[in-house]
């Protein structure tokens, strides 16, 4: 007797539509019927989102192992206005080494058809064109791998599986000196060190900012210590002088800090294991034994190397004296909350710059400029939250940035902000509280360094360093304010049922050995939107009460579930953590929905 294939909820997959067209296909356009017979994994992503970048890395092994049966298709759905520009999506696909077809969907047409609510979201379509699974957040590829194996067997037996090469066509490499450089540093001898991020190298340039002096790293994606030629990085970003003889490097996709010896070119590892930090992992200890998560920038402050830990929305610090790392600020919840370090919320901190008494930071997803004082208290200079951004000068309370990635302290104590998605260099003056624009027509500036009376900007999407004279007066630009491109969800005022859908993957069960295996945290912007239902609990469903006097806001929902292999014979089953943060813009409308389902993993059976 043979086992019958598992019963699954099957929904016909909507067509793939995107005004920006297809990338990585050699200009070929595709429909779902062209892919019939293959297992299709849709990866809904946006290039600002570090969690989406984590999923790109998680998918690489699945794509390689099942290359003849699985087609991964990235569906790019923008959050920021800049991300709706087709040229920016083309750049991002190369920048992050995306080696599968990508559908550019600037108007979120396919996002809406699939009822997606979060970046990243993965949707699995079987060879007959039916949706069989949906997962939001990171950490789901092990479950998708198992499902793919089942689908291969099931459809091989039915004769509905079609093997062969996929539709991916690699673009031609461009012969530029740098390729999407991330951060820069002026070395003691007056040369520049630049993280050549997409080429997985560090490059020393002469004082002219153009002539190559040395390269460090093999240029292949990897994690290896050794000589300048043998060492390997994986999308390195931030750089800081550890002392006169060495540089500390934020090796982002390796989840590690590396040390570059400037005299010998030797690369060693200071912190990190190469594995990504997950909820429940240690948050302090010997640096080489502690997992990190997408460190994006580094700066020396108070005798320690502070780390913009973009992957978990925190600040950490490495202590060179005793070789330890520890969390210094942030809860891992994504948002903008000031206060003592352990209570503060960040959203993908990506740029750091220190003075004697302040650590400035670019908090990219809240489009904010923030700072930490010597006591560890976090404050916000410019920025209001996850969904407000634009290009507006003026008093800090009204000024707007758009996904800034870099900060640079200027000689007068003001701060230059690499306002990445506005293609601008901005300035915040703490003495006046004013924001001005220093320069425009830069292409995705991601960092800047001072050289005498000039400022040298890393123009990431122009693949170069650009030298500007610091102007005495700021450039005037037209004010623009933006809100997220996502449409608000219309909900009824009063009671709202929040259901986070989680079904343990096949062969697994919820892990209850050490207490509850699920956690749900809910808050709102403005805080008064929630009359009831705020806070943390273990139940993934909750009844909220919304203030009918507030017409619009954002519900912040963070969910976590732990599942383990369901094997009674194994005392140490493999376990997996599934987690996702949602920021759901809502509009209170009579007749709006009284239920808000958010899919963490599985299918919302009550939706049909």
């Amino acid at each position: 007797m043979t086992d019958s294939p598992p019963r699954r909820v099957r929904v016909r997959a909507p067509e793939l539509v995107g005004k920006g067209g297809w990338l990585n296909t050699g200009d070929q356009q595709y429909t779902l019927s062209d892919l019939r017979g293959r297992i299709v994994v849709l990866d809904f992503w946006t290039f600002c989102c570090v969690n989406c970048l984590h999923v790109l890395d998680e998918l690489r092994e699945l794509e390689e192992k099942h290359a003849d049966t699985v087609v991964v298709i990235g569906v790019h759905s923008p959050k920021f206005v800049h991300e709706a520009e087709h040229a920016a999506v083309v750049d991002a696909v190369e920048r992050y080494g995306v080696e599968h077809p990508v559908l550019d969907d600037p108007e979120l047409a396919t996002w809406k058809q699939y009822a997606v609510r979060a970046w990243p979201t993965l949707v699995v379509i079987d060879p007959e064109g039916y949706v069989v699974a949906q997962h939001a957040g990171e950490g789901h590829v092990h479950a998708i791998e198992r499902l793919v194996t089942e689908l291969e067997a099931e459809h091989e037996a039915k004769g509905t599986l079609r093997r062969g090469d996929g539709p991916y066509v690699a673009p031609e490499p461009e012969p530029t000196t740098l390729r999407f450089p991330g951060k820069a540093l002026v070395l003691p001898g007056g040369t520049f060190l630049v993280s050549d991020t997409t080429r997985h190298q560090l490059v020393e340039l002469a004082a002219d900012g153009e002539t190559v002096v040395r390269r460090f790293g093999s240029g292949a994606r990897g994690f290896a210590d050794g000589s300048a030629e043998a060492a390997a990085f994986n999308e390195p970003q931030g750089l800081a002088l550890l002392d006169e003889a060495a540089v500390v490097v934020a090796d982002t996709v390796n989840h590690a800090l590396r040390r570059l010896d400037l005299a010998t070119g030797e690369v060693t590892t200071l912190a990190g294991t190469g594995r990504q930090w997950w909820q429940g992992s240690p948050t302090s200890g010997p640096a080489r034994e502690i997992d990190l998560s997408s460190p994006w920038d580094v700066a020396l402050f108070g005798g320690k190397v502070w780390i913009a830990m973009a992957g978990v929305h925190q600040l950490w610090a490495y202590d060179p004296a005793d070789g330890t790392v520890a969390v210094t600020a942030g809860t891992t919840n994504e948002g903008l909350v000031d206060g003592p370090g352990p209570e503060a919320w960040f959203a993908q901190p990506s740029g750091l710059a220190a003075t004697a008494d302040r650590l400035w930071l670019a908090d990219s997803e809240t489009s904010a400029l923030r700072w930490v004082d010597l006591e560890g208290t976090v404050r916000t200079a410019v920025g209001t939250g996850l969904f407000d951004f634009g290009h507006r000068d003026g008093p800090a309370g009204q000024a707007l940035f758009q996904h800034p990635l870099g900060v640079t302290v200027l000689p007068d104590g003001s701060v230059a902000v690499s306002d990445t998605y506005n293609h601008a260099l901005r300035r915040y003056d703490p003495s006046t509280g004013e924001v001005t624009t220093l320069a425009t027509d830069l292409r995705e500036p991601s960092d800047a360094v001072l050289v005498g009376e000039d400022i040298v900007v890393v123009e990431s999407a122009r693949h170069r360093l650009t030298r500007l004279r610091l102007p005495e007066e700021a450039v005037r630009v037209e004010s623009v304010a933006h809100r997220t491109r996502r449409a608000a969800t219309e909900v009824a005022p009063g009671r709202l049922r929040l259901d986070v859908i989680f079904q343990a993957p096949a062969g697994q069960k919820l892990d209850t050995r050490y207490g509850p295996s699920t956690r749900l945290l809910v808050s709102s912007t403005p805080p008064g939107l929630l009359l009831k239902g705020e806070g943390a609990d273990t139940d993934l469903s909750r009844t909220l009460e919304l203030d009918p006097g507030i017409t619009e806001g954002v519900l912040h929902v963070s969910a976590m579930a732990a599942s383990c292999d369901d094997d009674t014979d194994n005392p140490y089953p493999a376990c997996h953590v599934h987690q996702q943060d949602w920021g759901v813009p809502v509009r209170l409308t009579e007749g709006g929905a009284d239920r808000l389902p958010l899919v963490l993993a599985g299918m919302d059976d009550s939706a049909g």
Side-chain angles (χ1 to χ4, degrees):
M1 178 179 170
T2 58
D3 291 337
S4 58
R7 285 182 54 80
R8 298 188 191 90
V9 177
R10 298 207 314 167
V11 178
R12 176 61 74 179
E15 191 50 83
L16 303 178
V17 178
K19 194 172 182 181
W22 290 82
L23 305 175
N24 281 356
T25 62
D27 296 326
Q28 180 78 31
Q29 305 299 300
Y30 282 91
T31 64
L32 274 178
S33 61
D34 296 327
L35 304 169
R36 198 62 46 82
R38 311 299 290 273
I39 300 163
V40 177
V41 179
L42 301 182
D43 175 19
F44 287 87
W45 70 300
T46 190
F47 64 76
C48 71
C49 156
V50 72
N51 312 90
C52 300
L53 305 185
H54 291 167
V55 168
L56 285 176
D57 292 313
E58 289 178 7
L59 286 169
R60 294 184 203 280
E61 189 176 338
L62 176 78
E63 293 180 86
E64 189 176 326
K65 186 175 177 182
H66 299 270
D68 66 336
T69 58
V70 171
V71 175
V72 174
I73 293 175
V75 181
H76 188 271
S77 315
K79 171 188 171 180
F80 289 98
V81 170
H82 170 59
E83 292 174 307
E85 296 176 19
H86 182 69
V89 180
V90 172
D91 283 347
V93 167
E94 181 189 348
R95 180 194 296 268
Y96 297 116
V98 180
E99 295 183 349
H100 51 244
V102 172
L103 177 65
D104 180 14
D105 182 18
E107 297 176 347
L108 282 74
T110 297
W111 163 288
K112 292 169 188 169
Q113 285 295 309
Y114 280 83
V116 174
R117 292 186 182 274
W119 296 279
T121 290
L122 295 169
V123 175
V124 182
I125 302 171
D126 74 11
E128 294 177 289
Y130 289 92
V131 175
V132 291
Q134 182 168 328
H135 301 268
E138 304 176 49
H140 299 293
V141 170
H142 69 280
I144 291 173
E145 157 89 40
R146 186 168 186 144
L147 175 58
V148 162
T149 303
E150 291 176 0
L151 290 170
E152 285 174 340
E154 179 183 332
H155 288 273
E156 191 95 77
K158 288 174 70 175
T160 48
L161 185 71
R162 180 165 57 91
R163 295 179 181 269
D165 293 335
Y168 170 68
V169 177
E172 285 292 318
E174 297 283 345
T176 52
T177 301
L178 302 172
R179 204 70 194 157
F180 298 103
K183 305 287 184 182
L185 178 67
V186 180
L187 295 177
T191 57
F192 296 95
L193 187 67
V194 184
S195 51
D196 196 9
T197 304
T198 298
R199 295 227 178 96
H200 315 295
Q201 289 181 319
L202 309 180
V203 180
E204 184 180 357
L205 299 176
D208 62 8
E210 296 179 8
T211 306
V212 175
V213 178
R214 292 186 290 176
R215 287 185 178 269
F216 306 95
S218 66
R221 187 188 293 271
F223 187 16
D225 289 344
S227 66
E229 297 77 21
F233 299 98
N234 198 341
E235 298 183 26
Q237 287 281 352
L239 307 166
L241 276 172
L242 196 56
D243 50 48
E244 289 290 303
V247 171
V248 59
V249 182
D251 193 5
T252 305
V253 179
N254 278 330
H255 312 295
L257 295 189
R258 315 292 291 281
R259 179 187 185 275
L260 170 65
D261 187 301
L262 291 171
T264 66
E266 189 83 9
V267 175
T268 52
T269 299
L270 293 175
T273 62
R275 297 184 300 272
Q276 185 184 336
W277 187 94
W278 286 99
Q279 290 287 352
S281 302
T283 55
S284 64
R288 292 292 305 273
E289 299 173 17
I290 303 296
D291 298 339
L292 309 180
S293 183
S294 296
W296 210 274
D297 204 3
V298 281
L300 263 72
F301 180 61
K304 296 181 180 180
V305 177
W306 283 60
I307 309 164
M309 202 72 80
V312 282
H313 317 300
Q314 289 181 313
L315 301 179
W316 288 44
Y318 166 73
D319 189 340
D322 61 11
T324 59
V325 288
V327 175
T328 50
T331 64
T332 76
N333 295 313
E334 185 178 15
L336 193 153
V337 177
D338 288 344
E343 300 170 16
W345 290 25
F346 300 99
Q348 225 167 287
S350 301
L352 299 175
T355 65
D357 59 356
R358 288 188 183 187
L359 179 71
W360 292 97
L361 67 113
D363 204 25
S364 63
E365 281 290 287
T366 52
S367 298
L369 173 65
R370 306 176 73 184
W371 52 281
V372 184
D373 65 20
L374 290 171
E375 283 72 48
T377 301
V378 179
R379 295 184 172 86
T380 298
V382 182
T384 55
L386 284 164
F387 299 102
D388 296 300
F389 51 88
H391 190 151
R392 183 195 285 156
D393 287 342
Q398 282 80 52
L400 293 171
F401 300 128
Q402 187 180 180
H403 198 83
L405 290 178
V407 281
T408 308
V409 178
L410 300 180
D412 65 354
S414 65
V415 182
V417 177
S418 295
D419 193 5
T420 310
Y421 288 4
N422 279 329
H423 310 302
L425 190 67
R426 313 284 295 285
R427 174 177 175 262
Y428 168 71
D429 186 345
S431 65
T432 64
E434 290 285 316
V435 174
T436 53
T437 297
L438 295 175
T440 56
D441 192 32
L442 300 166
R443 187 71 188 169
E444 291 194 19
S446 54
D447 196 19
V449 292
L450 286 174
V451 180
E453 295 184 0
D454 295 342
I455 189 164
V456 176
V457 181
V458 180
E459 261 198 289
S460 188
R462 282 200 178 110
H463 319 292
R464 70 187 188 194
L465 302 186
T466 298
R467 186 181 293 258
L468 305 170
R469 177 56 54 98
L470 277 173
E472 294 180 16
E473 293 184 20
V475 179
R476 296 184 188 277
V477 296
E478 185 180 347
S479 295
V480 183
H482 297 302
R483 293 281 292 175
T484 174
R485 298 179 68 84
R486 292 175 59 187
T489 299
E490 295 197 348
V491 297
R495 292 163 68 88
L496 176 68
R497 179 71 175 178
L498 172 65
D499 289 325
V500 173
I501 314 299
F502 179 76
Q503 293 150 5
Q508 294 185 13
K509 63 180 180 180
L510 286 172
D511 177 18
T512 55
R513 291 171 299 162
Y514 307 110
S517 59
T518 55
R519 179 175 180 270
L520 178 65
L521 176 69
V522 182
S523 63
S524 66
T525 304
L529 175 61
L530 274 177
L531 296 176
K532 289 183 182 174
E534 189 175 8
D537 202 348
T538 58
D539 195 339
L540 291 181
S541 292
R542 189 180 303 180
T543 299
L544 312 179
E545 189 167 337
L546 307 181
D547 185 346
I550 296 177
T551 56
E552 284 196 1
V554 179
L555 291 175
H556 303 284
V557 181
S558 179
M560 186 270 289
S563 63
C564 295
D565 290 347
D566 190 4
D567 183 355
T568 53
D569 296 331
N570 184 356
Y572 305 106
C575 297
H576 307 273
V577 176
H578 315 257
Q579 61 188 56
Q580 174 63 18
D581 294 332
W582 291 267
V584 183
V586 293
R587 183 179 298 115
L588 275 60
T589 311
E590 291 296 337
D594 61 4
R595 176 177 179 264
L596 177 61
L598 300 174
V599 176
L600 178 61
M603 301 281 282
D604 181 16
D605 296 348
S606 60

